[in-house]
Amino acid sequence: MASPPPSPLTTNSAASAPPDTSNKPAAPPVNILPTQLATTYSYIHPAALLSAFAARFPALVNDPVSEMAQQLPFLALAHVAYVMICLPAAGTDSATTTAAATPTSPSTPTAAATSSASSATTTTTGSTTNGNVILRPGRVGRRRTKDSSSSSSSTASAIRGRVVASLLSLTLTTLLATPVLSILLILFGAPFTTHHAQTVLCAAHMAILSSLALVYVHGVDGNVWKEVWGAKRPGDVVWGGALGTCVGAWLGAVPVPLDWDRPWQAYPITLLTGAYVGFVLGSVLGRSVLFGKRVRFEEGEDVKKVD
């Protein structure tokens, strides 16, 4: 017996069903700004951080508290410059930011079209030697010169916006991320009654490495931060650096309890070393092989997959 034809109501309801957005991230992966300066500095910054840390490692072993306190302002300054140059601020698009930061030159199509139209108008209406043009027979008007103040003001406004956003991100990172990471370090085994300065300074370094760029790019978007705490963000240079910092610090705690009796095993030298190395590796992997991929937790199974 032939089956009855499908009901039009069922067909229409199935066709009008909204697409499944459960696997769609709250915000797309973050790209480095498409400028030559941003691309170049995005490679220089991690290498410079790791080189400076390696150069100051003997001083860190001799006096961890003093060395971490002295290097913290330089780390903050370098990372603020990194986010300003290489990353789009929260609420802006990379293309818009690049266009605002780059003044229009005569070689661009818009400027070329404007220039050709202006020259055609001048040729049609005729000109005089003193800079006046004949707008209509019997009337002489002054030629309008295109002022470049609008482009310079937009560039200054874009730079000012980046500076304000980076300073606000640094403030939120210092006030919020540092205490949270200090508590997490203690929960993961850091000394609770001693080594308070070491814990806070290590957390401050980790906060700048992991959280400053996240706050600068995503602001206070609650959906994005839910993905951050749930480790569900798609891979990019920002999330890769943050995740690499935390995983590197966690792996860096492995040598601390071993009975090797080495001076560099003292807390928190190995944790800080792992955080710096993890930041560099996470940033490189996040912008290359892991870009756009994220860990997917399957329901009902203790299985993690990388999409």
Side-chain angles (χ1 to χ4, degrees):
M1 180 181 294
S3 60
S7 172
L9 296 177
T10 305
T11 305
N12 293 337
S13 62
S16 61
D20 184 16
T21 59
S22 58
N23 292 327
K24 185 177 180 180
V30 178
N31 285 304
I32 297 294
L33 291 177
T35 62
Q36 186 64 35
L37 177 61
T39 303
T40 303
Y41 191 74
S42 65
Y43 289 107
I44 294 176
H45 177 71
L49 282 184
L50 203 57
S51 300
F53 183 82
R56 300 298 302 174
F57 187 77
L60 179 66
V61 174
N62 293 331
D63 191 354
V65 174
S66 176
E67 184 63 23
M68 285 191 294
Q70 291 177 7
Q71 295 303 318
L72 188 60
F74 297 101
L75 174 64
L77 182 62
H79 224 58
V80 164
Y82 166 69
V83 298
M84 287 178 55
I85 295 173
C86 301
L87 301 176
T92 62
D93 183 54
S94 60
T96 305
T97 306
T98 306
T102 306
T104 305
S105 62
S107 60
T108 57
T110 304
T114 306
S115 177
S116 61
S118 175
S119 61
T121 304
T122 304
T123 305
T124 304
T125 57
S127 61
T128 61
T129 57
N130 60 354
N132 296 331
V133 295
I134 301 176
L135 300 179
R136 62 181 63 178
R139 299 186 63 180
V140 179
R142 178 70 60 181
R143 179 188 291 115
R144 294 181 179 179
T145 58
K146 189 174 182 179
D147 191 9
S148 61
S149 60
S150 59
S151 61
S152 60
S153 62
S154 63
T155 303
S157 176
I159 295 176
R160 193 182 308 112
R162 294 188 193 183
V163 172
V164 172
S166 61
L167 293 180
L168 287 176
S169 302
L170 180 61
T171 303
L172 290 176
T173 299
T174 304
L175 297 179
L176 298 179
T178 300
V180 170
L181 288 174
S182 299
I183 295 173
L184 289 177
L185 287 175
I186 293 174
L187 292 177
F188 275 88
F192 178 67
T193 58
T194 60
H195 297 77
H196 297 148
Q198 288 89 334
T199 299
V200 172
L201 287 172
C202 181
H205 279 256
M206 291 177 58
I208 293 176
L209 291 174
S210 62
S211 303
L212 178 59
L214 283 172
V215 177
Y216 180 83
V217 171
H218 299 297
V220 291
D221 190 344
N223 294 326
V224 173
W225 286 100
K226 287 179 182 178
E227 292 181 345
V228 169
W229 286 106
K232 296 180 180 180
R233 284 291 303 157
D236 55 29
V237 64
V238 177
W239 173 234
L243 188 61
T245 300
C246 297
V247 174
W250 178 59
L251 294 177
V254 173
V256 173
L258 301 179
D259 56 350
W260 294 345
D261 295 331
R262 297 292 189 271
W264 51 264
Q265 286 182 264
Y267 171 81
I269 297 173
T270 56
L271 276 75
L272 195 62
T273 304
Y276 273 82
V277 175
F279 169 78
V280 173
L281 292 179
S283 299
V284 173
L285 294 177
R287 66 183 299 179
S288 55
V289 296
L290 297 181
F291 184 82
K293 299 180 180 180
R294 58 177 179 169
V295 178
R296 179 167 54 88
F297 297 90
E298 294 187 352
E299 297 182 359
E301 300 180 9
D302 190 14
V303 178
K304 294 182 291 184
K305 293 184 178 180
V306 178
D307 293 336

